[in-house]
Amino acid sequence: MKKPKGMVTIVCECGDEILLIPDPKEMGKAIEDHVDLHLQNLKGPGCSAEEAKCLRNVLIAQVFSKGSEIGTENHE
Ligand SMILES: [Zn+2]
């Protein structure tokens, strides 16, 4: 998959990339949508509610660490 330059993504443990959106509300929705795929066994080996919670935390942690990359894209 080709990624446009400057595009920041977070990577789920299933290998899927989720595009980082600067809007926290939209980003939260994108994560929920992806975690939902796991809960419905549409992604990965399927997972329990506990594992889904863990997946979500991992994704959110990546949003926080990568979020700063977006912030540094202002031209100086
Ligand atoms: Zn996944």
Side-chain angles (χ1 to χ4, degrees):
M1 198 169 89
K2 229 175 14 179
K3 251 193 304 181
K5 215 180 159 198
M7 214 79 125
V8 181
T9 58
I10 55 174
V11 186
C12 180
E13 65 178 35
C14 72
D16 262 26
E17 287 182 285
I18 303 168
L19 190 63
L20 199 58
I21 307 162
D23 183 337
K25 225 186 204 173
E26 288 297 310
M27 192 66 236
K29 196 177 168 298
I31 290 175
E32 287 310 314
D33 285 352
H34 185 81
V35 170
D36 243 22
L37 295 178
H38 279 273
L39 278 169
Q40 293 169 40
N41 292 348
L42 297 173
K43 282 280 176 199
C47 70
S48 66
E50 272 309 301
E51 285 165 332
K53 213 185 279 177
C54 186
L55 273 177
R56 185 184 294 123
N57 287 341
V58 168
L59 291 169
I60 290 171
Q62 285 186 57
V63 170
F64 280 117
S65 67
K66 300 219 174 183
S68 55
E69 290 178 32
I70 285 184
T72 54
E73 268 178 32
N74 304 325
H75 42 113
E76 294 170 24

